Amino acid sequence: MDTVTVIRGARVIDGTGAPSSRADVTLRAGRIAQLSPEGARRPGGTRVIDADGLALAPGFIDMHAHSDLAILRDPEHTAKAAQGVTLEVLGQDGLSYAPTDDTTLTAIREAITGWNGDGSDIDFDWRTVGGYLDRIDRQGTAVNAAYLIPQGSVRMLAMGWDDRPAADGELAAMKRLVAEGMAQGAMGMSSGLTYTPGMYASDAELTALCRVVADYGGYYCPHHRSYGAGALGAYAEMVALTREAGCPLHLAHATMNFGVNKGRAPELLALLDRALADGADITLDTYPYTPGCTTLAAMLPSWANEGGPEATLARLADPATAARIRHVMEVEGADGCHGVPIEWDTIEISGVSSPGLSDHVGRTVAESAALRGEQPWETAHRLLTEDRLGSTILQHVGHEENVQAIMRHRVHTGGSDGILQGAKPHPRAYGTFPHYLGHYVRELGVLSLEECVAHLTGRPAARLRLADRGLIREGYAADLVLFDPETIAATATFTAPRSLPTGIPHVFVAGQPVIADSRRTDVLAGRAVRRTG
């Protein structure tokens, strides 16, 4: 007999932003079978959950996740399931593992070891986007996963790591790879335009690829060319480019960081409002924290990363070239550091690949250098070389007023940008969604509860063009989270980043409990969610 679950007496927050209402909600065969408003005859079920005092929302959608290997390595994926996430979007920042071939896979694994580990524990039994999504389906995972075609990986396949314009044949090959990935179910395309080799693409090249994405009904998600000194120009560039291509735009981790951008979020929002008023199709995501997170190698100037990881390490090994790199980073401002001279006291080491370097973790580069009686560059250089570019960092350069202003915007969605690697990862990987609802809704009142849930559910589902997710409606997928608005909170901190949230007793994926009574079950109901229209 099929299990019928009834969630009784919940405060239903439907994902539209409309006022909540009390109802009984019946789940059957992976779907929301019935909504029974307060006062109606109460349905029966094989399992009844008393939801008095609890809010029921659509499962949260993480619009920017770096769990590409984590969901294969640890399908229980408690970091996201415990937050109420039921769908995450992978393939971010222009670098991931599909499409690929034997040669580029080796380079990609090394280039993003800091994001996902080196992959030595993973059987890479796929080479295409469809193959990767099929692998998720075969294995199963706690939460659903969607995928963006990584433009940097596509460029690497077509023309390697070269910093040059694409030849006609190479551009044709990239367009073909994007079309194949879209046909196999990708939601769109991502870029990492401060990461090599994707950053070497011209606007004309990106526009051509975006036209292919638009032909398939997808969207473009760029990590654009600067979040620092050139941030506003970089945002404007992406708006103009996608409008030229006729492609919807979703701005990844849309922050305004570094001292040059303190208090300048209203300028970004005015730029977006003008484009929206003129008919542009734009959304964005942010995480509710001020520090960023990436790899230490990402701070290097782009020319130092040309040719791939081995070429970068060779440049660092040459004293004259290393001195030039240092000058660009500390004096001129490298494009990898968004055109801003690096401040070593803002760069905290959050993880290393080599156990012998673990004493650096949890300290800024400046602090580690002081303990060793050396210059910060000497410490950074040692980490880059001895850890073979595998060190991850927290970059403490954000501004709270910008974070709050951007999250209020009507096209805002939530994304953790969570990197699960390292001894001390950014707490956003374990805390983004309860932090929105606990800190920014209950404690600060930046958003109402209904508004915030819409930002985390209905709005991202609309961007993904998911016809049966993101709202509480009869017939919709039963991906749901039951939480206590009075106690929901992120407990993950910068000192204890893997602490699980409180106030989320039940999470359902396809109607099955992946979190029950605040405990992870053994259910692996998550599957790949493919673009269908």
Side-chain angles (χ1 to χ4, degrees), residues 131-315:
Y132 175 69
L133 298 176
D134 288 344
R135 169 66 181 274
I136 293 171
D137 282 343
R138 288 197 305 274
Q139 184 165 316
T141 182
V143 307
N144 299 302
Y147 191 75
L148 299 173
I149 301 162
Q151 170 258 330
S153 300
V154 166
R155 197 174 210 266
M156 198 186 309
L157 266 176
M159 55 186 295
W161 292 81
D162 294 349
D163 182 4
R164 60 175 175 82
D168 290 347
E170 291 166 338
L171 181 57
M174 285 188 270
K175 290 167 68 175
R176 183 174 62 254
L177 287 165
V178 171
E180 290 171 355
M182 293 299 298
Q184 291 165 10
M187 295 290 177
M189 181 178 76
S190 75
S191 282
L193 299 180
T194 66
Y195 300 129
T196 56
M199 70 188 303
Y200 301 140
S202 67
D203 283 2
E205 180 181 316
L206 295 170
T207 300
L209 299 182
C210 283
R211 288 195 176 105
V212 177
V213 172
D215 287 344
Y216 283 86
Y219 68 94
Y220 181 42
C221 179
H223 164 128
H224 51 270
R225 297 191 193 275
S226 176
Y227 290 83
L232 288 174
Y235 281 114
E237 176 191 10
M238 294 298 101
V239 171
L241 184 156
T242 49
R243 299 202 72 185
E244 173 69 20
C247 184
L249 172 64
H250 181 83
L251 294 164
H253 38 59
T255 57
M256 290 289 286
N257 288 341
F258 303 92
V260 294
N261 290 318
K262 183 176 175 61
R264 298 187 70 188
E267 296 176 56
L268 166 61
L269 300 179
L271 183 158
L272 299 181
D273 284 338
R274 288 192 297 270
L276 290 162
D278 199 34
D281 184 354
I282 302 172
T283 50
L284 58 85
D285 66 67
T286 69
Y287 47 84
Y289 300 87
T290 52
C293 178
T294 186
T295 63
L296 183 59
M299 298 291 100
L300 296 171
S302 58
W303 57 262
N305 278 319
E306 184 180 3
E310 293 304 323
T312 301
L313 290 166
R315 292 185 183 99

Side-chain angles (χ1 to χ4, degrees), residues 4 29 66 112 119 137 147 333 365 387 440:
V4 177
H66 286 283
I112 53 176
D137 282 343
Y147 191 75
V365 172
D387 211 25
Y440 286 96

Side-chain angles (χ1 to χ4, degrees), residues 50 53 75 172 200 211 222 241 279 284 331 336 355 357 360 372 458 512 518:
D50 180 2
Y200 301 140
R211 288 195 176 105
L241 184 156
L284 58 85
V331 178
L357 299 170
H360 292 276
R372 290 162 176 77
Q512 300 183 55
S518 301

Side-chain angles (χ1 to χ4, degrees), residues 60 62 78-80 82-85 287-289 415-416 418 420 425-440 456 488-493 496-502 504:
F60 305 136
D62 188 342
T78 304
K80 293 299 179 66
Q83 293 184 61
V85 172
Y287 47 84
Y289 300 87
S416 71
L420 298 168
H426 197 303
R428 66 194 186 193
Y430 284 74
T432 286
F433 297 88
H435 197 50
Y436 267 120
L437 294 164
H439 183 60
Y440 286 96
L456 307 181
I488 188 170
T491 67
T493 65
R498 287 192 168 90
S499 180
L500 296 177
T502 59
I504 307 177

Side-chain angles (χ1 to χ4, degrees), residues 356-422:
L357 299 170
S358 60
D359 59 332
H360 292 276
V361 174
R363 296 191 177 105
T364 67
V365 172
E367 289 169 342
S368 275
L371 288 172
R372 290 162 176 77
E374 60 188 14
Q375 293 296 309
W377 168 251
E378 296 175 85
T379 300
H381 185 271
R382 181 184 302 109
L383 281 162
L384 288 163
T385 54
E386 294 183 12
D387 211 25
R388 295 187 59 81
L389 313 180
S391 302
T392 52
I393 63 169
L394 304 180
Q395 194 169 19
H396 296 271
V397 293
H399 308 286
E400 181 65 22
E401 65 269 40
N402 287 347
V403 169
Q404 292 190 27
I406 294 169
M407 76 169 63
R408 290 188 182 99
H409 198 271
R410 66 187 186 281
V411 300
H412 169 266
T413 68
S416 71
D417 196 13
I419 293 174
L420 298 168
Q421 287 295 116

